[in-house]
Amino acid sequence: MLKIQNLHASVEGEEILKGINLEINPGEVHAIMGPNGSGKSTLASVIAGNEDFEVTQGDIIFEKANISELSPEERAHRGIFLSFQYPVEIPGVSVTNFIKTSINQVRKARGEKDMPANEMLKKIREKSALLDMDRKFLSRSLNEGFSGGEKKRNEIFQMAMLEPKLAILDETDSGLDIDALRIVSDGVNRLKTKDNATLVITHYQRLLDYVVPDVVHVLLDGKIVKSGDKELAKELEERGYDWLKAEQVNA
Amino acid sequence: MKLKDKLMSSYLAFEEQVDIDHDIHQVRDEAIKFFETTGFPTKKLEAWKYTSLNSILKEDYSIFPKKEDAIDYKDIKKYLIHDIDTYTIVFVDGIYSSHLSRTTHDKLDACLMSSALNKPKYKPVVDKYFNKIAPKESMVALNTAFANEGAYIRIPKNVAAEKPIQILNFSTGNESALMIQPRNLIIAEEGAQVQIIERHQSLTENPVLTNSVTEVFVEKNANVDYYKIQNDKTSASLIDNTYIKQSRDSVCSMHTFSFGGKITRNNLNFYQHGENINSILKGVTILEGKQHVDHNTLVHHTQPNCESHQDYKGIFSDKSVGVFNGNVYVDRIAQKTDAFQSNNNIIIDDTATCNSKPQLEIFADDVKCSHGCTIGQLDNEALYYLRSRGIPKKEARALLMFAFANNVLDSVKIPEIKKRITKQIALKLGVELGFNL
Ligand SMILES: Nc1ncnc2c1ncn2[C@@H]1O[C@H](COP(=O)(O)OP(=O)(O)OP(=O)(O)O)[C@@H](O)[C@H]1O
Ligand SMILES: [Mg+2]
């Protein structure tokens, strides 16, 4: 589904991603772990098409098409979704209006008609219930004044509404309390099918107990230095990253 | 001939047509003398620092249009709020058009300034209110000198006008260039309520200069809800001088939507005389090309326990210019005043300019006064966030701009106006969003 080849990306002239290779197949869950500043969010942004980052080398292939040059909206139309580490507050746009606009713009781009209002309403009701979201959030301004956990839950609500093929969850677990983590993880699991894929960025093993990864990657200084199964995450939890850094130096 | 000279000699001709024994004549005489000494305002004046009238004063305006032009309802329908029942007072090239208007004397007066000025039965009201709050300023004086026609609205004690009243000024382009000077007088007596919609609209590309003066009296416990829709041709300019005097326990709100015109200057002044008064001033300005809109507002708090809320939003592209000069005076005795002022602007192109100047003079010590002005660009992070959800750049920008203007529309109480303004904003931003604010 997603194939990243020798991806280099920089911001303001500084190289952040230094040759990433990554392949994710339909039905798989991949996790990326790594120290602060290693480039995890940058990788997520580059896949989502953030224009602040310049891809200097390499390609991003999504469903056999090279999407490196596509705008963020075109990537969303193709089914890529990013749950932001820091969701943006947008005063004056309600959650409901936002998600309606988003869904209908995606449909329009795919040559489909607007979703009928009653169907939309039903879906909103269903998905907000899935995430145990309070109704009153839906009429509030998008993310404005939301607590950290509420913002994350709202991101997954949007994911549930948009039903992407590839969902990238950038530290969706941080800021969530224990119950919320379970609810959100349940939500993510229920949205899983054999045709879609999930890329989870996290610092904690805890989330991976719920959303069990098929592959775990370690990102260090802009490169994936190690990949393994879910046991790798447990090892990282115990040993930290220093041993991997040392291996890098020795290599 | 220079416009000022033309106006001076036109005044002599004007005198020929009016009753010079009338009390008002003396008022007009004094006014023209005042205008003769001061002339048109220039950028040398602090209050006109950012707005020059030079480019519009050089036209050879007709001062007295020949006669009413036969325009049909279908020509003007789209400029009316026609989907709801209203009283309408329509002027064509400054002259009252009876066949396009629906005036009334039933329960309330929604009629003509010319009758009010000339018929004896209105004399007590005219004596009490006419030219009583319009200050001695050159543009006001010029209007007063020629004051003859406009809307006269009086809502008697405890009457709530059951329909909104529209005041519409059309210019037909019959003259190669036209100057019109409407003069409106609006009185909401004790406990009265009224909604008013005012619009100036040119029907051709010929230059038009409108210098309008409106005096509004909001008596004790009355409520006036006023909307100005400014979306004129880029050949038309407007100097709007509006003066509002409020008595105790009254509420007056003014929404100004400025989307068009060449040069628009809004002198909007609220004078509070009494306690427990609420004054609301809101505006949305969206400009492109070389349009220029200058909001010059004043709220004068003279008594304790009153409020004022000013909230103006501006979006400027191309080479457009926005000016906001917001004045708040709080007298020493006006304790517990709650005065809020905010002016937020988005500059779309760096060729557009915006000047925002709050001026607060507060002499009372126990007050709550806040003000803030911002001039910025669209939030790029927000834009990216929306785009990452599949909303294309253009629509995402429009959505952000909509959201930006949103809270000003929140307080619009006539749903038809809200709907139209929303649509107008979408049109201005060049998008069709199935989006309801
Ligand atoms: N817009 C930017 N301008 C300048 N530097 C940036 C920008 N965005 C990211 N960086 C830098 O790129 C590096 C990688 O940042 P990134 O956000 O990808 O890290 P991360 O792995 O997600 O870290 P964390 O675990 O703290 O979220 C950091 O050194 C960061 O300061
Ligand atoms: Mg990060």
Side-chain angles (χ1 to χ4, degrees):
Chain A
M1 173 178 282
L2 179 75
K3 198 167 175 190
I4 294 176
Q5 293 163 327
N6 189 30
L7 184 69
H8 291 251
S10 52
V11 61
E12 284 157 17
E14 195 187 333
E15 185 164 69
I16 312 284
L17 301 182
K18 303 171 179 170
I20 303 264
N21 294 293
L22 180 68
E23 187 163 354
I24 305 178
N25 298 308
E28 288 181 349
V29 175
H30 286 229
I32 293 186
M33 303 183 78
N36 295 133
S38 57
K40 301 181 297 298
S41 295
T42 302
L43 176 60
S45 299
V46 171
I47 300 172
N50 188 334
E51 289 161 355
D52 290 347
F53 298 91
E54 194 193 349
V55 174
T56 51
Q57 219 181 312
D59 288 312
I60 306 169
I61 313 293
F62 182 68
E63 297 199 304
K64 302 197 173 69
N66 190 341
I67 58 162
S68 309
E69 300 293 321
L70 296 187
S71 65
E73 54 267 37
E74 287 168 317
R75 299 184 199 205
H77 299 157
R78 286 172 186 240
I80 294 177
F81 177 90
L82 169 61
S83 168
F84 282 62
Q85 182 174 2
Y86 305 108
V88 185
E89 301 198 1
I90 306 189
V93 180
S94 74
V95 173
T96 306
N97 274 332
F98 168 62
I99 200 67
K100 279 186 194 165
T101 308
S102 164
I103 285 194
N104 285 331
Q105 289 293 338
V106 170
R107 289 172 74 108
K108 189 172 164 192
R110 292 176 183 163
E112 298 163 16
K113 285 209 174 66
D114 277 6
M115 183 181 281
N118 54 348
E119 195 181 318
M120 181 78 77
L121 212 65
K122 194 167 150 253
K123 192 164 182 177
I124 290 176
R125 235 182 256 143
E126 188 186 305
K127 302 300 181 185
S128 56
L130 176 74
L131 290 157
D132 202 16
M133 269 173 79
D134 200 326
R135 265 307 157 65
K136 65 176 193 277
F137 276 102
L138 299 172
S139 52
R140 275 175 64 178
S141 278
L142 188 58
N143 293 323
E144 194 186 27
F146 284 23
S147 75
E150 288 163 354
K151 284 182 184 165
K152 296 303 174 72
R153 201 183 288 219
N154 181 35
E155 291 290 287
I156 303 305
F157 165 69
Q158 294 171 34
M159 169 184 162
M161 290 295 295
L162 287 162
E163 299 174 336
K165 288 182 188 148
L166 173 68
I168 306 163
L169 312 183
D170 190 357
E171 294 199 27
T172 301
D173 53 339
S174 46
L176 290 177
D177 66 40
I178 297 161
D179 292 335
L181 179 66
R182 192 176 33 76
I183 292 162
V184 166
S185 317
D186 272 357
V188 171
N189 283 333
R190 272 199 244 174
L191 295 169
K192 246 165 56 180
T193 68
K194 64 177 187 358
D195 300 318
N196 62 22
T198 315
L199 178 61
V200 186
I201 295 168
T202 184
H203 287 293
Y204 306 106
Q205 164 61 30
R206 219 178 38 170
L207 172 70
L208 302 179
D209 285 340
Y210 292 104
V211 184
V212 182
D214 300 297
V215 190
V216 175
H217 308 275
V218 181
L219 190 66
L220 215 61
D221 192 24
K223 274 188 242 153
I224 290 178
V225 296
K226 200 173 187 68
S227 300
D229 61 13
K230 62 183 185 196
E231 298 307 316
L232 177 58
K234 289 187 183 134
E235 193 176 359
L236 291 172
E237 183 103 336
E238 275 165 34
R239 297 177 65 191
Y241 296 106
D242 282 351
W243 60 284
L244 282 170
K245 287 181 191 160
E247 269 181 21
Q248 280 303 103
V249 176
N250 294 339
Chain B
M1 192 165 21
K2 284 179 91 173
L3 183 57
K4 186 183 165 189
D5 301 331
K6 186 168 182 175
L7 284 161
M8 294 309 299
S9 56
S10 297
Y11 182 73
L12 301 175
F14 175 70
E15 274 190 311
E16 306 275 298
Q17 317 165 6
V18 292
D19 174 10
I20 56 165
D21 293 326
H22 199 294
D23 296 349
I24 301 295
H25 187 254
Q26 200 187 331
V27 177
R28 289 190 181 117
D29 248 1
E30 278 169 24
I32 197 72
K33 279 185 193 125
F34 184 80
F35 175 74
E36 186 173 24
T37 50
T38 53
F40 287 103
T42 66
K43 286 179 94 167
K44 286 195 195 106
L45 296 168
E46 188 60 27
W48 288 84
K49 196 168 162 187
Y50 298 107
T51 300
S52 164
L53 297 178
N54 287 344
S55 68
I56 53 175
L57 296 181
K58 61 179 202 293
E59 301 290 348
D60 185 21
Y61 296 108
S62 297
I63 312 296
F64 306 116
K66 282 169 219 96
K67 59 172 179 12
E68 181 199 332
D69 188 56
I71 57 170
D72 287 330
Y73 179 67
K74 66 169 172 32
D75 301 328
I76 60 158
K77 186 176 169 204
K78 67 174 174 178
Y79 302 115
L80 286 153
I81 309 290
H82 56 79
D83 14 25
I84 49 171
D85 198 12
T86 62
Y87 299 114
T88 45
I89 310 172
V90 178
F91 303 95
V92 176
D93 293 338
I95 297 167
Y96 174 62
S97 165
S98 57
H99 78 282
L100 295 172
S101 300
R102 260 177 301 163
T103 58
T104 187
H105 293 290
D106 183 28
K107 289 194 197 130
L108 56 92
D109 292 315
C111 59
L112 302 185
M113 193 67 178
S114 54
S115 341
L117 289 174
N118 296 313
K119 289 188 185 162
K121 73 166 177 173
Y122 296 108
K123 193 171 182 308
V125 182
V126 168
D127 283 351
K128 187 171 172 193
Y129 294 108
F130 178 78
N131 207 43
K132 289 296 184 283
I133 46 172
K136 267 197 152 181
E137 281 173 10
S138 66
M139 295 312 290
V140 174
L142 179 60
N143 177 289
T144 303
F146 289 91
N148 191 36
E149 194 54 289
Y152 170 79
I153 296 168
R154 189 183 66 94
I155 317 296
K157 189 170 168 178
N158 293 332
V159 169
E162 64 220 36
K163 311 177 203 175
I165 301 170
Q166 302 194 66
I167 307 169
L168 295 131
N169 291 277
F170 293 103
S171 41
T172 59
N174 264 3
E175 309 285 341
S176 60
L178 178 67
M179 181 170 181
I180 38 183
Q181 303 204 72
R183 177 73 175 221
N184 306 312
L185 178 60
I186 296 161
I187 303 142
E189 292 184 355
E190 183 179 339
Q193 291 178 34
V194 64
Q195 292 184 308
I196 294 167
I197 302 151
E198 179 189 346
R199 182 164 188 159
H200 302 267
Q201 187 63 48
S202 167
L203 302 172
T204 67
E205 307 302 326
N206 285 355
V208 179
L209 172 57
T210 302
N211 176 40
S212 145
V213 171
T214 304
E215 290 177 287
V216 183
F217 294 85
V218 191
E219 298 291 8
K220 191 169 138 188
N221 201 29
N223 189 320
V224 172
D225 187 23
Y226 203 128
Y227 302 88
K228 289 183 190 270
I229 300 174
Q230 303 175 339
N231 192 15
D232 213 341
K233 299 267 164 69
T234 49
S235 51
S237 292
L238 170 66
I239 298 162
D240 181 305
N241 307 280
T242 297
Y243 303 92
I244 298 167
K245 181 179 172 184
Q246 287 184 256
S247 303
R248 56 173 290 189
D249 303 319
S250 68
V251 179
C252 181
S253 67
M254 174 70 72
H255 288 79
T256 307
F257 300 107
S258 312
F259 301 143
K262 182 176 182 174
I263 294 177
T264 305
R265 162 77 174 215
N266 287 297
N267 293 316
L268 178 58
N269 304 269
F270 279 73
Y271 308 113
Q272 297 186 338
H273 288 258
E275 291 198 38
N276 193 30
I277 291 171
N278 192 358
S279 307
I280 299 149
L281 299 78
K282 303 221 176 185
V284 181
T285 306
I286 304 179
L287 302 182
E288 71 267 311
K290 288 183 180 173
Q291 295 179 315
H292 181 118
V293 170
D294 180 346
H295 290 289
N296 198 289
T297 68
L298 164 72
V299 180
H300 191 166
H301 292 273
T302 67
Q303 294 293 320
N305 302 313
C306 293
E307 294 174 42
S308 65
H309 300 268
Q310 299 191 51
D311 191 355
Y312 282 78
K313 308 261 177 161
I315 300 174
F316 305 98
S317 14
D318 301 336
K319 289 185 176 166
S320 62
V321 180
V323 182
F324 178 79
N325 196 348
N327 299 280
V328 175
Y329 299 152
V330 181
D331 286 357
R332 200 146 56 99
I333 62 158
Q335 299 293 2
K336 306 280 182 200
T337 291
D338 183 351
F340 170 84
Q341 185 189 76
S342 130
N343 172 233
N344 302 302
N345 304 287
I346 295 179
I347 301 280
I348 300 293
D349 303 306
D350 52 17
T351 43
T353 52
C354 178
N355 292 291
S356 179
K357 199 172 82 172
Q359 248 174 306
L360 282 73
E361 291 185 32
I362 298 161
F363 298 100
D365 47 22
D366 183 14
V367 298
K368 208 168 98 193
C369 292
S370 63
H371 72 96
C373 64
T374 58
I375 301 173
Q377 267 112 27
L378 276 184
D379 180 354
N380 256 329
E381 269 192 63
L383 204 57
Y384 165 58
Y385 186 72
L386 296 177
R387 294 176 70 193
S388 79
R389 297 295 181 253
I391 303 171
K393 192 171 182 177
K394 193 174 164 199
E395 279 74 13
R397 290 171 67 97
L399 188 52
L400 288 178
M401 290 189 258
F402 255 120
F404 174 74
N406 190 8
N407 67 345
V408 174
L409 294 180
D410 269 355
S411 52
V412 173
K413 289 189 202 73
I414 303 175
E416 282 313 316
I417 293 193
K418 193 167 176 169
K419 227 160 69 190
R420 273 165 180 257
I421 298 295
T422 305
K423 233 168 106 181
Q424 198 56 52
I425 292 176
L427 205 69
K428 283 288 277 194
L429 304 173
V431 283
E432 198 61 63
L433 280 179
F435 198 78
N436 216 347
L437 285 172

